[in-house]
Amino acid sequence: MAESNPGKNRIKSLEHHLEEENPVLVDVVRSFRELDLASRQMGFFSKEQSHAFSVPWWPLISVLGVYSSGKSTFINHYLDYRLQNTGNQAVDNKFTVICYSGEDRVRQLPGLALDADPRFPLYKIAEAINAATPGEGRRIDAYLQLKTCPSEKLRGKIIIDSPGFDADAQRTATLRITNHIINLSDLVLVFFDARHPESGSMNDTLETLVKGTIHRNDSNKFLYILNQIDMTAREDNPEQVFAAWQRALAQKGMTAGRCFTIYDTEVGMPIEDEGLRERFLRKRNADVARIQERIEEVRVARAYRIVGMLGQKAVELETEVLPRIEAFLKRWRRWVCWLNLTVFGLLAACFLGVTLWAGYWKGFSLQLPYMERVMGNPWGKWTLVALLAALVVYIHLRVRKFAANQVMRSVLAGIDVKEGHENYRRAFMKNSRWWRSIFRHKPAGWGRRNKARLARLASDANGYVQKLNDVYANPAGKPTADIVPGDTAAENGEVFPDALNGPENACP
Ligand SMILES: Nc1nc2c(ncn2[C@@H]2O[C@H](COP(=O)(O)OP(=O)(O)OP(=O)(O)O)[C@@H](O)[C@H]2O)c(=O)[nH]1
Ligand SMILES: [Mg+2]
């Protein structure tokens, strides 16, 4: 029954979520289901498994950094929705995973909802916490919560708001979650506070989120944001604050970074001097626009990547999984033939030896006791034949099983994808079931129909790319995903000094 199959229900709920957020991807889920069917027929997948579960459907944007630096205010502003609490004391003490929902109200769910649902990026996070701090995984609700929000800006993405970074208060579990989130994120916004450039939280953030991340391969997913820069207008020292921040970043090894300076126009202090206000606003608007552009880019890039994964998985099934099953079959066939020869040869030799020793051979004629009586009786004759046949079949089946286990072990040892082992084992077992002839070269479930299915899925993936192009291509016809991260002046840290310090924007 459909209702009792958790895998099927999960796919349905995935489709339901995507219907609301990105309809092109709903078709992609259907294609993944076709791929599941082929994988299941080949014995590679169980009923509960789906390729769709290993796809990260939503891009993840995490907002980390100094406490009270305006992380939650920025998220509220971005969403155009008062979702997160804000305030001058440390407000957030948990990570909040924020995702879209069509309901016109906010729902708040405990961390367990995230830990148990593979649709979310923090699926099984309790295990990771436990690995760092044994026993702490049980207290998952103390670290995480899920909020759904109807803001249109959230469609097709997940944002994570975090507690302010403060090493004193950071227990191992929190650090572990932070690292986990960083690894999963498509974009990490690291917030600094222009009001307190020397704070302990600032130093901890620099140490962990700048020094600890600049050498990563994916370091260009980090954007460094000096927030609340409006406060420096009052004190008349924006360049000093900016320069001090840049120096601090440089001390941690960051030479060319993606730096932005922004403030929130609603809660920021009003800047009285009109010229100054205009300059601050222009710079702030340009940087906020660029940050938002980056957020949009990761959403688009993720959609293309998912479609790419469909084509890749279809190809992998034919070019990686299938050859491994074939290799298993070939070795197994060879083993079974040799073992059969050896076992039956040995049995024949033993029989010969024993009967010779017992003197049952008269020349070339074997004269076993009672043989005449058994052969003379029609029942006795057929019973003997049946018993011998049963013995031969039994030995052959044992040989097949033994050979399958040996070959399986050695073939699996050559496959370094640990999670895939169970799948290969299942496929090998399906191919070595007792009624399948060892001389069948074609693996189970692999026929003309599945071959055509995989070819069709690979070509469907190209069709989806075109559909995505239709949705995302800008008026000039260039998909926004083509914009290479780090190719703008803002991301190379060039805009701020010129914008505020150049002749046109010189500070008063
Ligand atoms: N002047 C000024 N104040 C801001 C700005 N952004 C946020 N604030 C204020 O700074 C305080 C902290 O803002 P939050 O958004 O709660 O900061 P947070 O980083 O989420 O804080 P925690 O979650 O506690 O780490 C609030 O009182 C905000 O109103 C800004 O750009 N300029
Ligand atoms: Mg907050």
Side-chain angles (χ1 to χ4, degrees):
M1 249 171 32
E3 295 315 306
S4 60
N5 183 342
K8 212 168 180 179
N9 292 345
R10 239 189 272 156
I11 286 266
K12 273 196 185 149
S13 108
L14 177 68
E15 279 181 352
H16 173 72
H17 273 77
L18 289 171
E19 249 157 35
E20 285 186 334
E21 298 184 35
N22 194 342
V24 177
L25 293 184
V26 179
D27 291 337
V28 180
V29 180
R30 292 194 183 122
S31 295
F32 271 114
R33 278 166 64 167
E34 280 227 35
L35 194 58
D36 295 342
L37 193 66
S39 305
R40 242 168 255 151
Q41 287 173 350
M42 290 166 71
F44 192 62
F45 267 13
S46 70
K47 261 193 200 161
E48 283 74 35
Q49 284 178 294
S50 169
H51 289 281
F53 299 152
S54 58
V55 174
W57 290 93
W58 286 273
L60 190 64
I61 297 115
S62 54
V63 182
L64 306 171
V66 176
Y67 77 85
S68 277
S69 56
K71 300 181 294 297
S72 304
T73 307
F74 175 83
I75 289 175
N76 287 348
H77 172 83
Y78 174 73
L79 298 179
D80 203 7
Y81 198 98
R82 252 205 78 76
L83 179 75
Q84 293 292 81
N85 290 332
T86 58
N88 253 327
Q89 299 304 316
V91 173
D92 286 303
N93 57 0
K94 287 181 191 178
F95 291 87
T96 308
V97 177
I98 305 165
C99 68
Y100 176 78
S101 154
E103 286 184 314
D104 59 0
R105 71 187 182 102
V106 170
R107 253 180 209 275
Q108 191 167 328
L109 298 162
L112 193 67
L114 290 159
D115 184 56
D117 192 334
R119 276 178 300 138
F120 294 116
L122 298 180
Y123 179 51
K124 292 198 170 164
I125 179 84
E127 269 176 27
I129 299 177
N130 254 341
T133 330
E136 219 38 18
R138 259 181 289 126
R139 302 198 327 112
I140 186 93
D141 295 345
Y143 296 104
L144 291 172
Q145 63 180 351
L146 169 66
K147 275 189 187 175
T148 64
C149 166
S151 164
E152 288 298 312
K153 288 280 189 62
L154 260 180
R155 274 182 190 269
K157 58 178 91 77
I158 289 178
I159 297 181
I160 299 191
D161 192 8
S162 62
F165 207 86
D166 187 349
D168 285 346
Q170 303 289 314
R171 281 153 301 174
T172 336
T174 318
L175 272 177
R176 183 84 187 200
I177 300 177
T178 306
N179 286 333
H180 195 74
I181 288 174
I182 289 177
N183 289 338
L184 294 172
S185 293
D186 296 86
L187 191 66
V188 182
L189 311 183
V190 184
F191 270 64
F192 294 87
D193 184 350
R195 295 174 306 175
H196 307 290
E198 312 265 284
S199 69
S201 178
M202 176 87 165
N203 286 332
D204 296 336
T205 303
L206 283 166
E207 195 62 29
T208 312
L209 299 178
V210 179
K211 194 175 171 190
T213 55
I214 45 173
H215 298 301
R216 294 171 63 106
N217 291 339
D218 56 356
S219 63
N220 72 8
K221 74 182 184 185
F222 291 80
L223 305 186
Y224 303 98
I225 299 167
L226 185 61
N227 193 23
Q228 310 185 343
I229 193 79
D230 55 297
M231 297 300 277
T232 62
R234 280 264 161 125
E235 289 162 28
D236 217 10
N237 62 349
E239 301 91 340
Q240 281 169 13
V241 172
F242 179 77
W245 180 56
Q246 290 277 284
R247 262 199 312 279
L249 291 175
Q251 269 173 11
K252 299 296 169 194
M254 210 186 91
T255 45
R258 298 145 294 276
C259 300
F260 301 86
T261 45
I262 63 168
Y263 61 95
D264 190 289
T265 45
E266 268 173 45
V267 300
M269 299 295 268
I271 302 170
E272 269 142 35
D273 182 295
E274 201 178 316
L276 192 61
R277 185 170 64 237
E278 208 180 288
R279 275 198 297 279
F280 267 75
L281 199 58
R282 204 179 321 136
K283 166 74 177 132
R284 177 254 172 211
N285 287 349
D287 279 12
V288 168
R290 185 60 195 133
I291 295 168
Q292 297 194 354
E293 226 172 85
R294 277 300 297 271
I295 296 177
E296 196 49 29
E297 280 167 25
V298 295
R299 184 172 83 94
V300 173
R302 179 62 74 99
Y304 279 90
R305 222 180 311 146
I306 289 171
V307 169
M309 283 175 88
L310 171 70
Q312 191 188 330
K313 280 176 188 279
V315 171
E316 261 174 30
L317 199 61
E318 186 165 355
T319 58
E320 269 183 38
V321 176
L322 190 71
R324 277 177 179 150
I325 299 176
E326 282 171 340
F328 163 82
L329 278 177
K330 204 168 156 192
R331 283 168 77 169
W332 178 60
R333 192 177 310 126
R334 228 179 311 145
W335 265 71
V336 174
C337 288
W338 279 111
L339 275 175
N340 271 338
L341 267 179
T342 316
V343 171
F344 286 109
L346 275 176
L347 282 176
C350 287
F351 180 77
L352 192 65
V354 170
T355 47
L356 273 176
W357 174 77
Y360 292 143
W361 289 90
K362 305 279 179 264
F364 285 104
S365 153
L366 177 65
Q367 290 175 4
L368 289 172
Y370 310 111
M371 207 48 166
E372 257 176 38
R373 274 172 68 187
V374 171
M375 295 310 258
N377 175 335
W379 282 107
K381 188 170 148 188
W382 289 114
T383 310
L384 182 68
V385 170
L387 276 175
L388 281 177
L391 186 70
V392 168
V393 169
Y394 175 77
I395 293 172
H396 173 66
L397 289 180
R398 299 296 307 175
V399 162
R400 286 168 58 115
K401 185 113 193 112
F402 176 78
N405 286 338
Q406 298 305 312
V407 176
M408 214 182 295
R409 208 168 303 150
S410 74
V411 175
L412 286 178
I415 303 173
D416 53 1
V417 243
K418 269 258 160 57
E419 321 83 76
H421 278 197
E422 205 35 57
N423 292 343
Y424 280 108
R425 198 187 307 275
R426 189 180 305 107
F428 295 164
M429 270 159 57
K430 179 164 184 158
N431 276 283
S432 56
R433 279 197 284 210
W434 66 270
W435 61 85
R436 279 186 65 86
S437 157
I438 54 163
F439 297 109
R440 277 180 78 157
H441 286 256
K442 246 199 258 165
W446 184 248
R448 237 180 306 156
R449 195 191 288 178
N450 270 340
K451 198 170 162 54
R453 179 178 273 146
L454 294 193
R456 197 180 58 244
L457 285 173
S459 94
D460 281 355
N462 292 334
Y464 295 135
V465 170
Q466 279 165 26
K467 273 195 194 171
L468 288 175
N469 285 347
D470 292 344
V471 177
Y472 295 125
N474 60 27
K478 183 187 178 205
T480 41
D482 284 356
I483 299 167
V484 180
D487 68 349
T488 65
E491 294 196 1
N492 293 321
E494 292 160 14
V495 175
F496 183 79
D498 289 348
L500 276 182
N501 299 343
E504 189 203 349
N505 297 308
C507 292

